Structure formats: C-alpha cells, structure tokens
Amino acid sequence: MRYHHLPRDQPLGRHANRFGAAGAPHDAFPHRSHGRGGADHPRPHDLLLRHPDGHLGDAPRLHERVMHIRNTRPILVADFWGDGPLTGGCLSGGRKYIHINNKGDVEPCIFAHFATDNIKEKSLIECLSSDFFKDLRNMAPFGKNLLLPCPLIDHPGVMKKAVERNGAYPTHDGALTMLNEMQPELHVYAKQVREALTPVWQETTWAHKWLESDPDYNKRLKRGADADVLAEEAGPAAADKVGARD
C-alpha cells in the first residue's frame, strides 16, 4: 500500500489513496449512461476503476484539496467512502441519505440504481418506510471495519440480497450487471481491499473511540460478523424474503 505520501496528521489520510472526495470515489463515473434513469446515471462497471493497491492517480491531490477546503472554508466537503468512520458507516436507504433520480425513482444512494417506489406516486414518508429501505437500515453498518462501508463494493452481497428479496427494480438499463455479471469481480475486489485495510482499521484508534457511543455500530459488534456473512442478514444462506427473517 502507498499511504506514506499522504499527510498522517489528518485522521483519514492513511486510507485516502483509495478514496476521492466531494461525495464520490476518485476516478469513478467518468462516463454517463443514457438508459431509463437519464444522463445523471453512471455506468455500473465504472465502479471497478478503484484499485486496492493504491494506484489512483490524482487521489493524493484530491485528498489534499478536500482537507484544504475543510480547513479554510466554512463548509464540509463530503467523502462518501472516506468518511465512513465519521458517519458510522453507509448513509444510504434513508439512514441519513437517499437519492431521487430525474424520473422520480427513490434510490438508496446515487450509486445504487434500484428502487421500489417513485416519489410521484407516494409520499416521502411512505418511500422511506419501504421494506427495501428498512432492510438496508436494519443491516447497517454492514461491517465492523468502517473503512469498508459500501453495500455495493465493500459488501457486494448486501445490496444484491436486499434488492432481490424486496423486489426492487433497476432504475436504468445496465444496473442489474452490478448484481449479476459483476458479482465475481466485486467479491474479489472486496476481499483484496479488506485485506489491505484491516490493519489500517486496527490502527485507527481515534475511530474506535469516536464510535464507542454509536448504537448502530455497537449493534454490529454484538452481531459478531459482517452483514454479508451472517445468514440472518445477507450471507450466502440468508433468506430470500424479508418475511422469512422476521
């Protein structure tokens, strides 16, 4: 790993090679698709442009830029992946955040192109109360290492299982490749990144202190394993229907 060229006095500096800033992974989504969701949807396979070995081109520069903005401007620039320890994991599914596309589909996240409801047909409260979103929220955070917060990339089985057992539909052409053709690659990627960032997480003592009073994180610790491992959540033996888990 190449963390040595990043500022170590910043709490997230040691794993910023992997992540970009301003709410998106570095180098992800440079191309746009024009399927059902329109031009605001990235192509799913562009997620794989992040590499676990730290080779991300301008990632150090982006990290320095985001830290500069945070230190000199009265705004907080968000980093969806890199700020996982600060937010207690992934924000998606209405936990702290949702995305509504230009068609009105209410998605868990701007990167997760699946929905069960449309804001033109239901109230926001009804959309937030969907079984799909509740399923995701009940599993969050999806792992004990919050440097690995994402249910699409870090825990690819989580979004797949939540979509399938709640009957969520793809919100643009090609979205289902994330749950089908890309799954083997995503699992390989997730394993490699987990191996790389596990020792980093163990050394990130400030995050463990920060999370001591977080009820959701403590719930994950008590469960003893990540969501994509446990049969009662999204592991290989997990139920195909939410009702079967209740």
Side-chain angles (χ1 to χ4, degrees), residues 28-45:
F29 318 128
H31 307 289
R32 302 288 174 170
S33 68
H34 299 275
R36 176 180 176 182
D40 65 337
H41 279 288
R43 299 186 311 193
H45 67 265

Side-chain angles (χ1 to χ4, degrees), residues 1-8 13-14 16-18 53-61 63-64:
M1 295 186 299
R2 292 171 172 77
Y3 297 108
H4 61 276
H5 57 281
L6 297 172
R8 288 177 177 259
R14 297 201 58 201
N17 289 58
R18 180 177 174 234
D53 62 0
H55 293 288
L56 288 181
D58 291 334
R61 182 179 63 82
H63 171 69
E64 291 171 5

Side-chain angles (χ1 to χ4, degrees), residues 146-185:
L146 297 190
L147 301 181
L148 306 168
C150 181
L152 280 168
I153 299 177
D154 299 316
H155 305 277
V158 169
M159 186 61 68
K160 176 178 173 64
K161 186 63 70 172
V163 166
E164 292 176 347
R165 68 183 167 207
N166 291 285
Y169 58 85
T171 56
H172 77 97
D173 294 339
L176 287 175
T177 61
M178 287 289 294
L179 309 184
N180 299 313
E181 295 93 328
M182 291 177 60
Q183 281 290 302
E185 296 175 75

